[in-house]
Structure formats: C-alpha cells, structure tokens
C-alpha cells in the first residue's frame, strides 16, 4: 500500500495497490481505491475516459478488494457506457 502524506509527518491517505486502468469496449477508465489514514472504509474513484473528470462512489467499502469487485462486476453487468452514466452511484469530485 502506498501512503500519501500532506507535507506533515501525518499520513493523509492510504492508496490501495488494487487501483488500475481497465480497458473496456475501447475505453480506458482509471480506478483508484483509497482510504483516509485512520479510517476503516475505502473510497472508490473512477476517472471518465472522455472527460478526464473523476467521480467518487457514494457507497463506502469495508475492503479495497470489495471496492474493486463492485466496480468490475457492475461494468460487466451493464457495460461501460451505462455504468459511467449511472449518476446515482457517484458524487462529483470537487476540484
């Protein structure tokens, strides 16, 4: 796991090694999985291939493996286009 620091000695985020690029139907999405240092739940973030914008899942995950399984299963079920359009799953990441 990669620990991301905020310029102090305290860790800010812990990045899962399960984050990856996934190619589906000619589109490449970026999957990032991380948690805030000291927290138990993992956050799932998906970067859209056409815009480069990221969305964060509203659901929190108990494990990084659970987050990855969730996103890969959903993409397999509904396809990449429909998955990326399911705005009820995401909240926009603020810049």
């Amino acid at each position: 796991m990669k620990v991301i620091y905020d310029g102090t000695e305290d860790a800010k985020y812990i990045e899962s090694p399960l984050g990856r690029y996934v190619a589906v139907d000619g589109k490449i999405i970026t999957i990032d999985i991380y948690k805030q240092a000291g927290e138990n739940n993992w956050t799932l973030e998906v970067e859209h291939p056409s815009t480069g914008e990221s969305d964060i899942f509203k659901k929190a995950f108990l494990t990084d493996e659970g987050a990855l399984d969730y996103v890969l299963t959903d993409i397999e079920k509904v396809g990449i286009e429909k998955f990326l359009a399911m705005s009820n799953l995401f909240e926009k990441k603020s810049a």
Side-chain angles (χ1 to χ4, degrees), residues 34-64:
Y34 54 89
K35 67 179 179 176
Q36 193 168 6
E39 295 293 322
N40 292 325
N41 291 329
W42 291 89
T43 299
L44 175 62
E45 184 174 332
V46 175
E47 183 179 310
H48 292 256
S50 57
T51 64
E53 294 179 355
S54 292
D55 288 331
I56 298 173
F57 269 70
K58 292 178 182 177
K59 174 181 171 68
F61 299 89
L62 294 178
T63 65
D64 53 348

Side-chain angles (χ1 to χ4, degrees), residues 60-76:
F61 299 89
L62 294 178
T63 65
D64 53 348
E65 293 95 351
L68 182 62
D69 288 345
Y70 184 89
V71 69
L72 294 178
T73 299
D74 261 17
I75 290 171
E76 187 176 315

